[in-house]
Amino acid sequence: MLRDLHLAEDESPVYRRLADAIAERIAAGTLAVGDRLPPQREIARALGINVTTVTRALSTLQQRGLLEARPGRGTTVAARETAERPGFVSAPSDESGIIDLSVNRPATSAYLDAVAALLPRLSKDRHYAALQDYHPPEGPLWARATIADWLKGVAGDGDPGRVVLAAGAQHGLDCVLGAVAKQGEVVLADEVTYQGINALCRVHGLDLRPVAMDRGGMRPDAFEAACTQLRPRAVFLVPTLHNPTTITLSEERRHELAAVARRHNVLIIEDDVYRPLADEPPPSFASFEPELTIHIGALSKCLAPGLRLGFVIAPRPIAGQVAAALRINCWSISPLTALIGARLIEEGSAARVIEVQKQELRQRQAILSEILGRYDIQSHPASTHAWLRLPEPWRGAGFARTCLERGVAVLPGDAFAVGREPVQHGVRINVGAARSQDDLRTALTTMAELLSAGHLQLPGFV
């Protein structure tokens, strides 16, 4: 179990090197859930270290959720609960010496430039006086009309009565789940998907289950089997530039999945926040299955996450339920946010910002292809991120940890896993997150060196 355990020869404290070595064996499966570790004195004797060091290392692993200690059972490997996976990272790191490629953020300052030009004129806007008032939970009509018109042909056919404004897509998804699903009901999702759905299903007491994928996205046959067996209330899909894999479902695959949902009367929750970045994406689920689809979008990925403007477009009865859930949650979103978003769209600034972002992302994706193109990497020319499937002997958690030790932050596959089954060993690389193309090149070069070195760089071993 811990036989032949070796600690890394670096300057970090011994307890930390011991914790990392044990964590690596847990990640590799050498230590399985429920396995009991030897007594602390036995570990200390085998490694020639003191018991206090072992105690501190095991305590560190308990804090990470990897071990648990119970009276009469000793210290055992803990179950891989969703909550124990890598954290839901929502803000870029400001730590000195770290190039953070773990969070989606704008690749340019185009949004800030557009807002700087807009703000001096806002006080003259015809809706400015209404900023000090309460608004309906679904949001101001004028802002919903702007969103409805902007997405005409994608979802809702220009009807503002089907639009509910939210403080970002995560907030919209929260209100959707609260409106359409009851505690204990099953929600299906890709076996690796957007992190936020895990946390929200736990909060709402929903049973989130994974559906197998291939390189084209969710498999229709696996979806059919899950519907037959589990009778789900809804399926959650990120159909365009999927997070984290960047897969865009083909039009054929979308129709196949929609047919399964129709047969089993399963709601489709379509998280399409990346759609504005895609070149000629296939028709949305909402466009050809409007009465069964709840379409969620936002300006966070195409403009800036700091704007916090999301929107839900759904059949009118469901939109009303979502608005009621939002009212309980926060009454209504900020009208100032709604006004800024509406004006950027109406004046054409949003379209210009999106085009600038896409041009920058294309350049960054080209750098990615140049440096990591020989590896199994899945991406898109204008995607904010890429998905790297790791070669042997690397595993997601170990590679991400080693990258961090070398000054690069990425998110491993476990962060996106649904359920407890082992996931493909990969990491998400956010090319837009680097502060410059030079930083991106430096970070990707470091990753390429680690991939090339292979087992020589595995943490916790010599």
Side-chain angles (χ1 to χ4, degrees):
M1 184 182 295
L2 293 182
R3 211 167 15 194
D4 302 323
L5 187 71
H6 297 286
L7 308 188
E9 294 181 352
D10 57 37
E11 297 180 357
S12 61
V14 176
Y15 84 88
R16 186 177 300 165
R17 285 184 276 149
L18 174 57
D20 286 344
I22 295 174
E24 187 61 33
R25 293 212 169 178
I26 294 173
T30 307
L31 286 171
V33 173
D35 282 352
R36 181 158 50 181
L37 270 63
Q40 294 182 20
R41 291 186 182 280
E42 185 177 322
I43 298 173
R45 191 182 313 115
L47 295 175
I49 57 180
N50 62 54
V51 175
T52 303
T53 299
V54 176
T55 300
R56 188 172 182 186
L58 299 189
S59 176
T60 298
L61 292 171
Q62 289 178 47
Q63 292 172 8
R64 294 185 195 174
L66 296 177
L67 298 179
E68 57 184 1
R70 295 182 181 177
R73 290 187 55 195
T75 301
T76 60
V77 178
R80 291 177 62 220
E81 298 293 343
T82 305
E84 295 165 351
R85 296 195 182 106
F88 190 154
V89 181
S90 58
S93 171
D94 291 325
E95 186 177 346
S96 176
I98 299 294
I99 301 175
D100 192 348
L101 305 184
S102 68
V103 176
N104 271 317
R105 63 177 302 276
T108 76
S109 63
Y111 165 75
L112 294 177
D113 296 339
V115 171
L118 173 66
L119 288 180
R121 298 184 280 109
L122 273 190
S123 63
K124 308 297 183 183
D125 191 278
R126 64 186 184 281
H127 298 300
Y128 181 77
L131 296 185
Q132 65 182 347
D133 297 326
Y134 284 114
H135 289 268
E138 62 270 22
L141 176 59
W142 44 265
R144 289 185 288 120
T146 297
I147 296 298
D149 185 66
W150 189 48
L151 291 178
K152 188 188 303 181
V154 173
D157 294 327
D159 178 8
R162 299 182 63 174
V163 177
V164 179
L165 301 183
Q170 175 77 356
H171 183 220
L173 180 56
D174 183 15
C175 295
V176 166
L177 293 175
V180 305
K182 298 177 183 177
Q183 188 169 0
E185 288 188 316
V186 173
V187 175
L188 301 178
D190 291 307
E191 59 188 347
V192 292
T193 194
Y194 165 61
Q195 297 167 284
I197 188 68
N198 275 306
L200 288 177
C201 283
R202 287 199 305 274
V203 168
H204 288 281
L206 302 175
D207 185 5
L208 183 65
R209 298 293 191 94
V211 180
M213 306 169 68
D214 57 25
R215 292 193 179 234
M218 182 178 286
R219 285 172 30 204
D221 63 323
F223 181 34
E224 179 86 55
C227 289
T228 300
Q229 178 184 356
L230 301 173
R231 299 184 181 277
R233 172 59 175 150
V235 59
F236 173 79
L237 295 167
V238 184
T240 309
L241 301 181
H242 176 268
N243 182 11
T245 67
T246 75
I247 293 169
T248 292
L249 294 174
S250 68
E251 184 171 356
E252 179 182 7
R253 181 68 62 95
R254 293 177 190 228
H255 281 282
E256 291 173 345
L257 293 171
V260 175
R262 194 182 313 117
R263 280 196 297 274
H264 294 274
N265 195 31
V266 175
L267 286 173
I268 299 170
I269 301 175
E270 178 179 35
D271 185 345
D272 220 10
V273 293
Y274 294 98
R275 185 180 187 86
L277 295 174
D279 298 319
E280 299 182 358
S284 68
F285 283 93
S287 67
F288 59 81
E289 199 64 58
E291 296 309 310
L292 203 59
T293 301
I294 302 170
H295 184 92
I296 298 175
L299 300 183
S300 56
K301 301 303 185 291
C302 60
L303 294 189
L307 183 55
R308 307 315 305 143
L309 181 59
F311 31 87
V312 176
I313 303 177
R316 276 181 172 262
I318 294 179
Q321 295 169 6
V322 173
L326 190 145
R327 179 177 180 176
I328 295 169
N329 183 285
C330 67
W331 193 270
S332 66
I333 73 162
S334 164
L336 177 58
T337 297
L339 183 58
I340 291 173
R343 288 296 163 265
L344 291 177
I345 291 171
E346 291 174 354
E347 296 177 0
S349 299
R352 290 189 290 272
V353 171
I354 291 170
E355 189 52 41
V356 170
Q357 303 278 38
K358 290 174 69 173
Q359 290 176 7
E360 176 69 17
L361 288 170
R362 288 188 184 101
Q363 294 175 23
R364 294 184 178 218
Q365 288 287 350
I367 294 172
L368 176 79
S369 179
E370 171 195 336
I371 298 174
L372 296 182
R374 67 183 181 276
Y375 296 100
D376 187 358
I377 194 155
Q378 191 159 2
S379 191
H380 179 277
S383 175
T384 62
H385 56 278
W387 180 245
L388 171 65
R389 292 180 175 86
L390 296 168
E392 289 285 353
W394 286 111
R395 290 172 169 82
F399 184 73
R401 184 163 58 251
T402 306
C403 284
L404 190 59
E405 291 170 357
R406 295 283 297 274
V408 180
V410 293
L411 274 183
D414 275 359
F416 306 94
V418 174
R420 301 184 185 183
E421 295 303 314
V423 298
Q424 53 187 278
H425 294 295
V427 292
R428 187 186 72 180
I429 304 169
N430 290 90
V431 298
R435 299 291 175 177
S436 67
Q437 291 187 16
D438 286 343
D439 276 359
L440 178 63
R441 186 176 291 277
T442 297
L444 295 177
T445 300
T446 296
M447 294 176 68
E449 291 170 355
L450 293 175
L451 291 167
S452 177
H455 70 281
L456 298 177
Q457 291 293 330
L458 279 173
F461 294 88
V462 294

